Amino acid sequence: MYRPIPREDHPLRDLKLPDQRHPEKAHRPDNEQPKKPSWIRVKAPTSAGYKATRDILKEKKLVTVCEEAGCPNVGECWSQGHATMMIMGEICTRGCTFCNVATGKPQALDAFEPGRVAHAVEQLGLKHVVITSVDRDDLEDGGAEHFAQTIRAIRHRAPGTTIEILTPDFLKCPPSALETVVEARPDVFNHNLETVPGLYPEVRPGARYFHSLRLLQKVKELDPGMFTKSGIMVGLGEERQAVLQVMDDMRAADVDFLTIGQYLQPTPKHHRVARFITPEEFQAYETAAYGKGFHMVSATPLTRSSYHAGDDFDRLRTARNARLGRA
């Protein structure tokens, strides 16, 4: 990612320092971080495949949500050559209390980034790629055209790769922003609701639940054949009935694919973990979701939006074709 030369009146932040990474959280009281149960723990990444993926991403000066958000699956995914590219920089204009991505004023967009992303996808030989971004409320279109350019660049360099995007909510943008992204024709359009509506003021203060839900519905109105996907975290203090209601809301918006994973607290300044959901409870959520009509569901403690995304996309496509009576 392009980094400008620091000036005396605009010094570069050290995003390794918590107070500079999350200035909006610096004065929050600490929340005790509970010990993780056995089903959550993962090994530190050490494989040759992990290092090879890391080196390619570093060479192309690319940012990944795997690192920025502290994903627990980074070792497994990178060892297989899978990574979720995070475009438009590493600084977000929002300050969600669950998220470990840095908050502040982002730098200008890098016009060469879509090409570098496409080249990395080609070098990694990806069958399926996930592209996400920070929120860019400072941009008139929220970064929609940059998403579209990245999709087009990947189509040019790696035409056999299926593309999944995980977008921000374009809350402050005109309707044309969403249209720009959909017209670039990603294979999967993902936008996460993140939590139940009652927790939005505390967990996602800059977002609006029904706007995000409507965004997913609009995607299907613009392109009925496009796969849509959304996810939530559990363990933030939500009630089971509220989770089931979110499932109903998603199905009313014709969402195809649901992901549910355990919330893990990045630092003491972040939202507390209310409790760890057991694997049996996740299985019950999965069963309920399939019963409500989702084509594909991933509900496990370590599920994340892009975890096993390629394999899950194949299963999603097969499931929908089966329901439509296609070979």
Side-chain angles (χ1 to χ4, degrees):
M1 187 188 75
Y2 168 74
R3 295 178 185 273
I5 298 173
R7 307 190 310 265
E8 289 185 7
D9 62 335
H10 186 67
L12 286 181
R13 296 160 60 190
D14 185 348
L15 300 184
K16 293 181 181 178
L17 299 177
D19 286 0
Q20 293 190 36
R21 186 174 182 85
H22 298 294
E24 81 293 350
K25 297 180 177 69
H27 301 293
R28 288 171 57 92
D30 286 356
N31 288 313
E32 183 181 354
Q33 295 176 282
K35 185 179 179 181
K36 296 175 184 175
S38 59
W39 61 81
I40 292 281
R41 296 170 196 165
V42 294
K43 295 180 180 178
T46 57
S47 72
Y50 168 85
K51 294 174 182 176
T53 300
R54 181 193 60 191
D55 290 346
I56 289 174
L57 295 170
K58 185 176 180 181
E59 176 194 346
K60 301 302 177 188
K61 299 179 181 178
L62 297 175
V63 178
T64 69
V65 75
C66 318
E67 292 179 296
E68 296 303 316
C71 180
N73 304 315
V74 63
E76 178 185 347
C77 293
W78 283 24
S79 69
Q80 299 170 14
H82 301 161
T84 298
M85 317 288 185
M86 191 168 79
I87 59 175
M88 298 194 280
E90 60 191 334
I91 298 178
C92 186
T93 54
R94 304 275 177 94
C96 298
T97 62
F98 67 86
C99 185
N100 200 38
V101 174
T103 302
K105 183 178 180 180
Q107 303 295 337
L109 292 180
D110 180 356
F112 298 101
E113 183 177 54
R116 291 202 310 276
V117 170
H119 194 193
V121 170
E122 182 184 35
Q123 270 195 283
L124 289 166
L126 298 184
K127 180 182 176 184
H128 185 85
V129 64
V130 181
I131 307 295
T132 189
S133 79
V134 291
D135 274 287
R136 292 297 302 258
D137 293 322
D138 58 313
L139 302 174
E140 184 176 353
D141 72 345
E145 179 58 32
H146 202 75
F147 259 107
Q149 290 175 3
T150 304
I151 294 167
R152 290 193 290 265
I154 295 170
R155 293 278 186 233
H156 177 72
R157 293 297 294 257
T161 301
T162 50
I163 302 171
E164 179 173 328
I165 58 169
L166 173 54
T167 76
D169 59 14
F170 303 115
L171 180 63
K172 302 178 181 180
C173 305
S176 58
L178 179 62
E179 294 166 8
T180 294
V181 179
V182 174
E183 286 171 2
R185 294 196 57 78
D187 296 283
V188 181
F189 190 107
N190 185 359
H191 173 66
N192 285 334
L193 296 185
E194 304 292 8
T195 187
V196 301
L199 289 178
Y200 261 56
E202 182 180 355
V203 174
R204 249 189 125 195
R208 301 292 179 267
Y209 176 80
F210 288 104
H211 171 85
S212 287
L213 194 64
R214 177 67 180 134
L215 184 84
L216 290 160
Q217 187 177 42
K218 284 182 181 177
V219 172
K220 277 294 177 70
E221 292 172 1
L222 291 167
D223 186 343
M226 188 170 290
F227 291 105
T228 53
K229 178 176 176 180
S230 190
I232 63 169
M233 301 167 290
V234 288
L236 286 158
E238 71 290 327
E239 297 292 335
R240 174 178 167 79
Q241 188 55 47
V243 174
L244 298 178
Q245 183 60 57
V246 170
M247 292 182 192
D248 288 335
D249 292 345
M250 286 186 188
R251 285 304 301 139
D254 204 15
V255 172
D256 298 300
F257 187 170
L258 168 66
T259 61
I260 306 177
Q262 170 71 51
Y263 167 63
L264 298 176
Q265 183 181 343
T267 75
K269 297 295 184 183
H270 285 76
H271 193 286
R272 68 183 182 89
V273 175
R275 73 184 185 95
F276 290 105
I277 311 304
T278 66
E280 292 75 20
E281 289 176 280
F282 276 103
Q283 181 60 55
Y285 277 139
E286 179 179 309
T287 301
Y290 274 122
K292 291 177 182 294
F294 287 96
H295 293 304
M296 179 69 197
V297 181
S298 178
T300 72
L302 290 176
T303 287
R304 297 296 181 266
S305 290
S306 54
Y307 189 43
H308 295 164
D311 293 339
D312 285 346
F313 173 71
D314 289 338
R315 293 166 60 195
L316 172 63
R317 184 164 48 187
T318 299
R320 188 168 75 172
N321 286 343
R323 290 195 186 187
L324 295 175
R326 297 173 182 169

